[in-house]
Amino acid sequence: MTDPTRSERRARRRPAAEEQSPRPDRALAYRQLVNPFTPLRVFSDDHVEEMHQAALGVIEELGMSVLLPEARARFRAAGASVDDESGLVRIDRGLVMEAVAKAPPIIDLVARAPERSVKLGGQHVAIVPVGGPPHITDTDRGKRPGTLADFKDLTRLCQAFDVIHLIGAMVEPQDIAPQFRHLELMQAVLTLSDKLPFVYSRGQAQVADCFAMIRLAHGIDEQAFGQRVFCYTVVNTNSPLQLDRPMAQGIIDFAMAGQLVVVTPFTLAGAMAPITIPGALTQAHAEALVGIMLAQITRAGAPVAYGSFTSNVDMRSGSPAFGTPEYVKAAFGAGQLARRIGLPWRSSGATSSNTPDAQAAYESEMSLWGALMGGCNMLIHGAGWLEGGLTASLEKFILDIEMLQMFAELFQPVPFSRDEMALSDMAEVGPGGHYFAAGHTMQRYHSAFYTPLVSDWRNFGQWSDDGARTATERANLIWKKTLAEFVPPAINPAVADALAEFVARRSAEGGAPPTS
Amino acid sequence: MTDPTRSERRARRRPAAEEQSPRPDRALAYRQLVNPFTPLRVFSDDHVEEMHQAALGVIEELGMSVLLPEARARFRAAGASVDDESGLVRIDRGLVMEAVAKAPPIIDLVARAPERSVKLGGQHVAIVPVGGPPHITDTDRGKRPGTLADFKDLTRLCQAFDVIHLIGAMVEPQDIAPQFRHLELMQAVLTLSDKLPFVYSRGQAQVADCFAMIRLAHGIDEQAFGQRVFCYTVVNTNSPLQLDRPMAQGIIDFAMAGQLVVVTPFTLAGAMAPITIPGALTQAHAEALVGIMLAQITRAGAPVAYGSFTSNVDMRSGSPAFGTPEYVKAAFGAGQLARRIGLPWRSSGATSSNTPDAQAAYESEMSLWGALMGGCNMLIHGAGWLEGGLTASLEKFILDIEMLQMFAELFQPVPFSRDEMALSDMAEVGPGGHYFAAGHTMQRYHSAFYTPLVSDWRNFGQWSDDGARTATERANLIWKKTLAEFVPPAINPAVADALAEFVARRSAEGGAPPTS
């Protein structure tokens, strides 16, 4: 039990090697993540089947309230029992599963830069930054309403780290009038990043504008656009058992255009879902199945992901809690349900902490392990989420990148061979020696291990002499440095001009107000 | 993607329930942890077998340097080839595995209070605080050499939280002369705690004193003491491939007394072990097997645990790194090797951070997931470890307790039944409603979810108005409150007197200097 001390002294004998060169091989390894681990499970296969069948029973008997008449018409045409007065749609389980079976198990997501394209499904993992917060914070300026400038900075940070695969809705730019926001956001994403963009489902006119801009960025026409997946949206059911107008419209618009819809019931157990994990998951499963069915009856084979976001509330205050033990169990269970229906599974990284501190780190780690070791394919809110999702934090973004890169490294296979067992080195070094100059060490020391972004591994004296900065303080320096050094990805000037002209024209025309 | 905001508003509609009562049922559930998850693996069974056989080959061909003549004599008597000049012991693989097979797969650890007794092995998990640091720190007083008063405070903290199962060597009491330390430590542990104590292997005389004091505490004689396990020690091999005198003596003394020895090679890949994970694990496996064999040839069936502590160094500075991706992979692999030989597996919680910040939290989480989801049975350094093990931190101790309690909750099975699916509640609440007053909610809301120790789930306004404390600042208040409210466990006054008399007598006799 004393050995860390002893071994530390020993380890420090090694003379510092020269500053090592950056490792493009590691950076590239983060662009296409494959999770080699068998997903962790919390339910038996029988229990998964029971929840699946119970969810189908809920759809058949209780039904789901669908507020958009067009969506109800589509369900009626597909054979569902529809009550236009109450809005309730009840669907035979056979029809539900027939539709869901048409969804593709693996989806190719096409980014503006080919090397940024990723796969969704199977063992592939795509990571997405925080989405939706109205506020932004950093330790210099504090919490404030989000602006377009903040959104652009977050887009630059997303672009700068390979472990972020898709762009999200990192912060709401409250300085831009709602009818112009989608235009400004899309122009920012398409010029500051070459990764696949997110599109808000806030009405058909906004969605049409965004699709048009993405076609301009890719230099493709509507037909080519409909044949591959160039963007995605997230549609939340209005739990319990309700699908509101803009969300249903989003599913229809995206399915018709062949673009990805992530159908995510956001269910807090004890609030908008039953307080038990099996109950919350069963309800969420029913809601997701109905949303996915709407996509498939709109266009068979439309790309969809099975989203889950189940956590608990603090039963004393009603506050949502994230990264809790219950959150982890719900994530493992949701992954099992997603695999039951064979679809790509979306989960989330989250915390309730109000500041990028130790709580933010341990709750985020819990949610990451729950999601990623539960086998998730699309991790949303992976970087920058703070305060239950109400605020994007620049320091938290950097801390999350570190945590995500550690997972990306964990996913890399361990090379194994007779040579990797290093028996020749053991013979060479012998009892009581050290490996600093051994053959395997000399061959590998530049690249054997992950080099951290934020973590400070220096000893207490060196760390103290250099300002005794916490990880959060170092993260502050890192986001500033990353922004200062940012170089936007290459873009054809004609494309940039076309995007600018589009935004100018549509803005002059009054933009497109969001619908709800 | 907007739903956290919307749902948060909705969740907050719930009127705050009355302050809920403490939950003894949850606290009790932490006293006996059973890990229900299938351990994560990083190697195929074939590769595990290759490493195991390669380790046996290292023992046969390279041998291990054993510095204690008595240990060499025992190996020689057991059939090993021993060179007394070099100290090298080479052992046929058949003899190694024959001896290792005698070690029990599951061990009963007998604490002073029967309800604190735990099992080691199988799916059982026992958690141990930090061990060995010379320094202590807290955010009020800063870093300083450890004292007996600090050790006593850490013992009180260990006693106060059910998720800590065994006592450790939480800090070195540098204000006590080395020949008296073991007496003072043992008296503190046996009076301030009713959990199973750790004993340092620092020479036969110290060990004999500690065993005598434990017998006094249990009111048993030497014969009864030898029949069950009342304490444990940790023996680190002196990697690579060396077993020094006090460590070998510790194995022999503990095995003879039938007390638990945790044999742990502490191997930093690239320093005292090969830089590759298969190489580092193969060497560590060889060292552990030799240590375990020494216990078994001393007393067949002696209780031992297979310890592993493999991490990497920063190849630029030589600094040890903990909670890294490589650390997690090595933990998963070590667990596989432990299961290959069928013994209880000891792993660790660790971080390189110099302060109890976000890095300390995310590195500790990585090491906890690596250890616990790798299937470890004994987690050492589970609470309070900071600065690569050189310092015990009171705030980190509390943050770790929170993380450990979340694992303890994660280990609790999810109740599953038709009723748990809450279909009746779904019918009652209906589309668009809420579950705050639903039947399942009312029955369960007092105890459905884990209530955190440190995490603050209040909204930003409430949290700000209450001082905007970070998790580390809250942890500072929690350890102080825990110490202020501490009530020592019951002890027979005659036993306490006997312990005090023993310490007084042995101190008057000059104590027992540590040997090395």
Side-chain angles (χ1 to χ4, degrees):
Chain A
M1 228 174 210
T2 50
D3 61 354
T5 319
R6 180 193 303 167
S7 305
E8 180 129 356
R9 280 198 301 272
R10 204 178 234 265
R12 295 201 192 286
R13 279 185 212 150
R14 182 173 201 282
E18 71 275 33
E19 193 67 19
Q20 66 197 102
S21 55
R23 301 189 203 143
D25 55 327
R26 279 184 185 270
L28 287 170
Y30 304 157
R31 291 194 186 172
Q32 304 280 344
L33 291 188
V34 175
N35 180 349
F37 294 99
T38 304
L40 288 168
R41 297 146 34 107
V42 72
F43 295 113
S44 69
D45 287 345
D46 285 351
H47 288 168
V48 171
E49 191 59 31
E50 270 194 72
M51 287 190 286
H52 175 64
Q53 295 299 336
L56 291 170
V58 167
I59 300 170
E60 277 179 341
E61 290 155 35
L62 288 180
M64 182 135 166
S65 168
V66 177
L67 303 186
L68 184 74
E70 182 189 344
R72 288 201 300 272
R74 287 181 185 270
F75 277 116
R76 184 181 284 115
S81 157
V82 175
D83 178 345
D84 275 324
E85 207 154 308
S86 67
L88 277 183
V89 174
R90 295 186 176 85
I91 321 168
D92 177 84
R93 66 184 66 206
L95 294 174
V96 173
M97 290 313 294
E98 189 189 319
V100 169
K102 292 177 180 160
I106 296 194
I107 302 161
D108 283 305
L109 302 181
V110 182
R112 188 160 71 76
E115 68 273 17
R116 301 294 192 181
S117 293
V118 291
K119 283 183 188 297
L120 199 69
Q123 292 183 277
H124 301 279
V125 179
I127 294 174
V128 184
V130 62
H135 297 104
I136 186 162
T137 191
D138 63 69
T139 53
D140 296 330
R141 292 169 288 183
K143 182 176 172 179
R144 57 199 189 276
T147 66
L148 183 61
D150 293 320
F151 181 85
K152 287 180 178 175
D153 277 349
L154 283 161
T155 304
R156 293 181 181 102
L157 292 179
C158 288
Q159 176 67 15
F161 295 100
D162 279 352
V163 80
I164 298 294
H165 301 100
L166 314 179
I167 303 300
M170 289 79 71
V171 75
E172 193 65 28
Q174 299 196 49
D175 56 336
I176 307 294
Q179 66 272 29
F180 305 126
R181 269 182 210 171
H182 65 295
L183 299 168
E184 298 289 348
L185 292 183
M186 195 51 59
Q187 188 181 16
V189 170
L190 294 173
T191 54
L192 294 173
S193 169
D194 52 16
K195 300 179 183 182
L196 189 122
F198 167 81
V199 172
Y200 262 118
S201 295
R202 288 177 175 168
Q204 289 190 286
Q206 286 204 357
V207 168
D209 279 342
C210 292
F211 285 176
M213 291 179 74
I214 294 167
R215 288 195 295 269
L216 287 175
H218 281 270
I220 55 173
D221 63 13
E222 221 162 315
Q223 202 198 341
F225 182 70
Q227 280 161 6
R228 304 181 72 187
V229 182
F230 298 94
C231 62
Y232 73 102
T233 195
V234 175
V235 163
N236 300 119
T237 54
N238 205 326
S239 304
L241 297 172
Q242 190 159 280
L243 188 60
D244 68 16
R245 284 164 174 266
M247 295 291 121
Q249 192 66 57
I251 293 175
I252 292 170
D253 293 345
F254 272 70
M256 283 186 67
Q259 302 305 308
L260 175 64
V261 187
V262 182
V263 181
T264 308
F266 180 72
T267 47
L268 292 174
M272 62 282 279
I275 196 168
T276 63
I277 292 174
L281 289 178
T282 299
Q283 181 191 300
H285 191 60
E287 296 173 7
L289 288 173
V290 171
I292 291 166
M293 178 175 177
L294 178 56
Q296 300 307 317
I297 61 178
T298 298
R299 173 171 158 169
V304 291
Y306 175 93
S308 73
F309 203 152
T310 295
S311 195
N312 54 300
V313 295
D314 179 344
M315 295 311 295
R316 282 179 286 190
S317 65
S319 293
F322 301 100
T324 60
E326 293 81 12
Y327 184 98
V328 175
K329 290 177 182 180
F332 291 165
Q336 293 184 264
L337 286 162
R339 288 189 294 281
R340 169 61 184 80
I341 59 169
L343 292 188
W345 171 44
R346 168 260 157 115
S347 187
S348 303
T351 171
S352 303
S353 183
N354 289 299
T355 188
D357 62 351
Q359 179 188 340
Y362 66 67
E363 287 185 341
S364 290
E365 281 282 345
M366 288 294 280
S367 67
L368 290 176
W369 279 90
L372 295 171
M373 288 300 160
C376 107
N377 304 109
M378 184 181 202
L379 180 88
I380 297 191
H381 307 307
W385 162 296
L386 198 66
E387 208 192 298
L390 295 172
T391 298
S393 157
L394 296 174
E395 287 80 18
K396 177 67 169 21
F397 188 98
I398 296 297
L399 293 169
D400 286 332
I401 293 291
E402 177 84 306
M403 293 188 239
L404 292 168
Q405 290 187 167
M406 288 165 82
F407 274 96
E409 291 282 341
L410 187 55
F411 288 170
Q412 309 302 317
V414 178
F416 193 93
S417 67
R418 194 83 197 152
D419 182 56
E420 287 289 319
M421 276 189 282
L423 300 174
S424 56
D425 275 16
M426 285 185 221
E428 178 194 325
V429 166
H434 68 75
Y435 287 82
F436 293 127
H440 282 76
T441 308
M442 296 312 287
Q443 285 159 31
R444 289 169 176 79
Y445 80 95
H446 273 299
S447 61
F449 307 127
Y450 171 59
T451 302
L453 175 68
V454 182
S455 297
D456 191 328
W457 293 344
R458 293 175 299 175
N459 67 31
F460 187 83
Q462 294 168 319
W463 170 80
S464 297
D465 291 347
D466 193 27
R469 287 188 191 91
T470 65
T472 303
E473 289 166 340
R474 297 192 299 274
N476 174 276
L477 303 179
I478 294 167
W479 68 256
K480 288 186 215 168
K481 182 166 184 283
T482 307
L483 290 180
E485 294 173 355
F486 181 75
V487 178
I491 188 166
N492 181 332
V495 167
D497 289 349
L499 288 169
E501 278 163 30
F502 184 94
V503 171
R505 177 171 64 77
R506 291 289 296 122
S507 296
E509 290 168 5
T515 59
S516 62
Chain B
M1 227 176 212
T2 51
D3 59 353
T5 319
R6 180 193 303 169
S7 305
E8 180 129 356
R9 280 197 301 271
R10 204 178 234 265
R12 294 201 194 288
R13 278 185 214 153
R14 182 172 202 282
E18 70 275 33
E19 194 67 19
Q20 66 196 103
S21 55
R23 301 194 203 138
D25 55 329
R26 281 186 183 267
L28 287 170
Y30 304 159
R31 291 193 186 173
Q32 304 280 344
L33 291 188
V34 175
N35 179 348
F37 294 100
T38 305
L40 288 167
R41 298 148 31 110
V42 73
F43 296 113
S44 69
D45 287 344
D46 285 352
H47 288 167
V48 170
E49 191 59 29
E50 271 194 71
M51 288 190 287
H52 175 63
Q53 295 301 334
L56 290 171
V58 166
I59 300 169
E60 279 178 341
E61 291 154 34
L62 288 179
M64 183 134 167
S65 168
V66 176
L67 304 187
L68 184 74
E70 182 190 345
R72 288 201 300 273
R74 288 181 184 272
F75 278 116
R76 182 182 285 114
S81 155
V82 174
D83 179 345
D84 276 322
E85 207 155 309
S86 67
L88 277 182
V89 174
R90 294 185 177 85
I91 321 167
D92 178 83
R93 67 185 63 205
L95 293 176
V96 174
M97 290 312 294
E98 190 189 317
V100 169
K102 291 176 182 160
I106 296 193
I107 301 161
D108 284 306
L109 302 181
V110 182
R112 188 160 70 78
E115 68 274 18
R116 301 295 192 181
S117 293
V118 292
K119 283 182 187 296
L120 199 69
Q123 293 183 275
H124 300 279
V125 180
I127 295 174
V128 184
V130 62
H135 297 105
I136 186 162
T137 191
D138 62 70
T139 53
D140 297 330
R141 293 168 288 182
K143 182 176 171 178
R144 57 201 188 274
T147 66
L148 182 62
D150 293 320
F151 180 86
K152 286 181 178 175
D153 278 349
L154 283 160
T155 304
R156 292 181 182 104
L157 292 178
C158 289
Q159 176 67 15
F161 295 101
D162 279 352
V163 80
I164 298 294
H165 301 100
L166 312 180
I167 304 298
M170 288 80 71
V171 75
E172 193 65 27
Q174 299 195 50
D175 57 336
I176 307 295
Q179 67 272 30
F180 306 125
R181 268 183 212 171
H182 65 294
L183 299 168
E184 297 289 347
L185 292 184
M186 195 51 59
Q187 188 181 16
V189 169
L190 293 173
T191 53
L192 294 172
S193 169
D194 52 17
K195 300 180 183 182
L196 188 123
F198 167 81
V199 172
Y200 263 119
S201 295
R202 288 178 173 167
Q204 290 190 284
Q206 286 203 357
V207 168
D209 279 342
C210 292
F211 286 176
M213 290 178 75
I214 294 167
R215 288 194 296 267
L216 287 176
H218 282 270
I220 54 174
D221 63 14
E222 222 163 315
Q223 201 199 342
F225 182 70
Q227 280 162 4
R228 304 181 71 186
V229 182
F230 299 94
C231 62
Y232 72 104
T233 196
V234 175
V235 162
N236 299 120
T237 55
N238 206 326
S239 303
L241 297 173
Q242 190 160 278
L243 188 60
D244 68 16
R245 283 165 176 266
M247 295 292 120
Q249 191 67 58
I251 293 175
I252 292 169
D253 293 344
F254 272 70
M256 283 185 65
Q259 302 304 307
L260 175 64
V261 186
V262 183
V263 180
T264 309
F266 180 71
T267 48
L268 291 172
M272 62 282 277
I275 194 167
T276 62
I277 292 174
L281 288 179
T282 298
Q283 180 190 299
H285 192 58
E287 295 173 6
L289 288 174
V290 172
I292 291 166
M293 179 175 175
L294 178 55
Q296 300 307 317
I297 61 178
T298 299
R299 172 169 161 170
V304 291
Y306 176 93
S308 73
F309 204 151
T310 295
S311 195
N312 53 301
V313 295
D314 179 346
M315 295 311 294
R316 282 179 288 189
S317 65
S319 292
F322 300 100
T324 62
E326 293 80 12
Y327 183 98
V328 176
K329 289 177 183 180
F332 290 165
Q336 294 184 264
L337 286 163
R339 289 189 292 281
R340 169 62 184 80
I341 59 168
L343 291 190
W345 171 44
R346 168 258 157 116
S347 187
S348 304
T351 170
S352 303
S353 184
N354 289 300
T355 187
D357 63 351
Q359 177 188 341
Y362 66 69
E363 287 184 339
S364 290
E365 280 282 345
M366 289 293 279
S367 67
L368 289 177
W369 279 89
L372 295 172
M373 288 299 161
C376 107
N377 303 110
M378 184 181 200
L379 180 87
I380 298 192
H381 307 308
W385 163 295
L386 198 66
E387 208 192 300
L390 294 173
T391 298
S393 157
L394 296 174
E395 287 80 18
K396 177 67 169 21
F397 188 98
I398 296 297
L399 293 169
D400 286 332
I401 293 291
E402 178 84 306
M403 294 188 239
L404 292 168
Q405 290 187 166
M406 289 164 82
F407 274 95
E409 290 283 340
L410 186 55
F411 289 170
Q412 309 303 317
V414 178
F416 193 94
S417 67
R418 192 85 199 153
D419 182 58
E420 287 289 319
M421 277 189 283
L423 300 174
S424 56
D425 275 14
M426 286 185 221
E428 175 193 325
V429 167
H434 68 75
Y435 287 82
F436 293 126
H440 282 76
T441 310
M442 297 311 288
Q443 285 158 27
R444 289 169 176 78
Y445 81 97
H446 272 298
S447 61
F449 308 127
Y450 171 59
T451 301
L453 174 69
V454 182
S455 297
D456 191 327
W457 294 344
R458 293 175 299 174
N459 67 30
F460 187 84
Q462 294 168 318
W463 171 80
S464 298
D465 292 347
D466 193 27
R469 289 188 190 91
T470 64
T472 303
E473 290 165 340
R474 297 192 299 273
N476 175 275
L477 303 180
I478 294 167
W479 68 254
K480 287 187 217 169
K481 182 165 183 282
T482 308
L483 290 181
E485 294 172 357
F486 181 76
V487 178
I491 188 167
N492 181 332
V495 167
D497 289 349
L499 288 169
E501 279 162 30
F502 185 92
V503 171
R505 176 172 63 79
R506 292 288 297 123
S507 297
E509 290 167 5
T515 60
S516 63

